[in-house]
Amino acid sequence: MPPFRVAVLEADNSPKWEGWVEKLFRHHLEREGVDDGIWERFRCMSDEFPDPDEVDAGKYNLLLLPGSSKSAYEDAEWMRKMEVMIARYVKTGKTRILGCCFGAQILATALGGEVGKNPSGKFVLTVEKINLHTLFARLCHRGARETASWSARNNAKLAT
């Protein structure tokens, strides 16, 4: 079986977050029996993105959109480009995409959703119990199960 390939679309250039995404997700995927895989990092703030033709061709099993110190409602040129690229990746439907925190925000705006400031203005970091969606559970080659996950709700909320 070919190695599991992940493209990480980084949206933060702070050295304190260097490598944490891979460490966190590798741990969870390994628990589900997925090999260590191949992880490629793309620094979106520096205009680095996976080649759309390679994404279309199925080079990656997963596009991972992690957190950031930024919020998707901010006006930054690199975020607008990220939205365009994400919309292109989604359009083919050939690669799974997982957005966490900022990643979920930018995925929502790329698909026409709205993101705004959290009315409380507070930063919340907490652990929550979640049930994996069947599609994500299939990504991990297992059935849906309850798991613990962390959630950071910074200055944003997703509009429903």
Side-chain angles (χ1 to χ4, degrees):
M1 185 154 109
F4 193 82
R5 295 184 71 99
V6 180
V8 181
L9 281 70
E10 293 183 344
D12 204 314
N13 57 7
S14 173
K16 71 179 180 180
W17 298 114
E18 189 77 26
W20 80 269
V21 172
E22 291 93 342
K23 183 178 179 181
L24 174 70
F25 283 93
R26 277 185 178 157
H27 169 76
H28 287 292
L29 290 172
E30 286 171 1
R31 283 182 38 201
E32 297 300 329
V34 176
D35 67 20
D36 190 36
I38 298 171
W39 295 69
E40 290 185 52
R41 295 168 46 204
F42 297 89
R43 291 173 174 84
C44 299
M45 295 176 86
S46 299
D47 202 33
E48 294 177 14
F49 295 92
D51 181 304
D53 293 332
E54 290 181 344
V55 173
D56 292 351
K59 178 178 180 178
Y60 303 100
N61 299 93
L62 175 67
L63 298 181
L64 180 58
L65 314 175
S68 175
S69 60
K70 306 295 182 190
S71 295
Y73 61 79
E74 295 176 30
D75 188 27
E77 186 177 327
W78 68 268
M79 284 187 214
R80 303 301 72 92
K81 170 108 184 241
M82 193 172 183
E83 290 169 340
V84 169
M85 297 301 289
I86 291 168
R88 165 94 192 265
Y89 303 144
V90 168
K91 189 175 181 180
T92 67
K94 294 186 179 183
T95 302
R96 293 172 177 99
I97 299 174
L98 174 63
C100 301
C101 299
F102 170 83
Q105 295 173 28
I106 201 76
L107 180 58
T109 58
L111 300 177
E114 294 180 15
V115 174
K117 285 189 175 185
N118 179 342
S120 75
K122 296 179 181 176
F123 177 85
V124 179
L125 180 62
T126 186
V127 174
E128 298 177 5
K129 289 281 190 177
I130 63 168
N131 287 314
L132 294 179
H133 187 281
T134 305
L135 293 175
F136 184 74
R138 264 191 249 145
L139 166 69
C140 297
H141 308 291
R142 305 276 181 178
R145 64 178 180 80
E146 189 175 301
T147 186
S149 177
W150 59 270
S151 173
R153 289 184 219 104
N154 130 0
N155 292 330
K157 67 177 181 73
L158 294 178
T160 56

